[in-house]
């Protein structure tokens, strides 16, 4: 008797490997999120990181520190999920995950959240290129410049996720739809 998880894994292995550009783009998402996360961690550690003293006081509370640390970790973990679209664990759930470990990931279960995330991230960070056109009275001139530079890579997060998602979708669509698209 063949176990279902073995069949799922075999089906997932029959998918074409991801293109090199998609692998690079997936890994680049984690790097795009990193600078802003490191800046927030500097705030958590008590470094004003560009804020004037009066404004930095708002970041000295335990709640603010927990929020900034949580935001940094969650953003990096979400960016890391993009790598799953080009790695085997994005096709077969790792065995250590209870109840569903070893089962094939249904392509649309990965594509739909990734596509919605790509749209949300693209919209969310679309105004970052204009960072320096907004007043930042609570920051020093140098801080305003540095924070703007550190947040610029976030503009890439949504489009990179979208590109990797399209690649994943194309590799995982049904054989019938591949023939019809040709």
């Amino acid at each position: 008797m063949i176990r279902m998880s073995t069949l799922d894994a075999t089906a997932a292995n029959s998918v074409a490997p991801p293109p090199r550009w998609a692998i690079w783009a997936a890994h680049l998402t984690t790097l795009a999120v990193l600078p802003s996360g490191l800046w927030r961690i500097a705030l958590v550690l008590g470094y004003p990181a560009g804020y004037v003293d009066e404004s930095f006081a708002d970041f000295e509370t335990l709640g603010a520190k927990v929020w900034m640390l949580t935001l940094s970790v969650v953003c990096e973990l979400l960016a890391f999920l993009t790598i799953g679209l080009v790695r085997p664990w994005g096709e077969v759930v790792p065995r250590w995950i209870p109840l569903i470990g070893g089962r094939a990931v249904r392509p649309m279960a990965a594509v739909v959240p990734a596509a919605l995330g790509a749209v949300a991230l693209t919209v969310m960070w679309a105004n970052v290129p204009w960072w320096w056109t907004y007043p930042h009275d609570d920051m020093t001139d140098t801080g305003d410049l540095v924070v703007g530079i550190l947040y610029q890579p976030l503009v890439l997060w949504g489009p990179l996720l979208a590109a990797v998602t399209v690649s994943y979708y194309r590799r995982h669509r049904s054989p019938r739809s591949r023939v019809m698209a040709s």
Side-chain angles (χ1 to χ4, degrees):
M1 182 171 157
I2 298 175
R3 291 179 46 200
M4 189 59 162
S5 61
T6 305
L7 289 175
D8 292 343
T10 303
N13 288 336
S14 66
V15 174
R20 191 181 225 26
W21 68 262
I23 295 168
W24 279 96
H27 287 273
L28 189 56
T29 59
T30 60
L31 296 177
V33 175
L34 191 59
S36 59
L38 292 175
W39 175 76
R40 285 188 297 273
I41 290 171
L43 291 171
V44 169
L45 295 174
Y47 181 72
Y51 279 99
V52 295
D53 290 337
E54 305 82 49
S55 298
F56 181 66
D58 296 339
F59 295 98
E60 299 264 55
T61 66
L62 179 61
K65 289 179 185 235
V66 168
W67 166 248
M68 289 183 293
L69 187 58
T70 301
L71 182 61
S72 296
V73 170
V74 168
C75 285
E76 200 61 47
L77 288 174
L78 288 172
F80 184 72
L81 285 176
T82 307
I83 295 174
L85 298 173
V86 296
R87 301 293 299 152
W89 54 270
E91 297 171 355
V92 178
V93 179
R95 292 202 176 280
W96 58 267
I97 296 179
L99 303 176
I100 61 171
R103 293 187 184 175
V105 174
R106 292 179 181 238
M108 294 313 282
V111 170
V112 170
L116 292 173
V119 169
L121 290 165
T122 301
V123 170
M124 184 184 319
W125 300 114
N127 68 338
V128 171
W130 292 274
W131 167 267
W132 298 283
T133 64
Y134 303 117
H136 297 105
D137 299 330
D138 53 349
M139 302 190 93
T140 64
D141 290 340
T142 303
D144 183 37
L145 174 67
V146 171
V147 172
I149 291 169
L150 294 175
Y151 269 73
Q152 291 306 309
L154 289 173
V155 174
L156 300 174
W157 190 4
L160 287 170
L161 176 56
V164 176
T165 302
V166 168
S167 172
Y168 181 90
Y169 173 75
R170 286 182 176 168
R171 290 184 301 113
H172 289 83
R173 62 187 169 178
S174 69
R176 181 175 170 225
S177 62
R178 278 187 223 143
V179 171
M180 293 173 75
S182 300

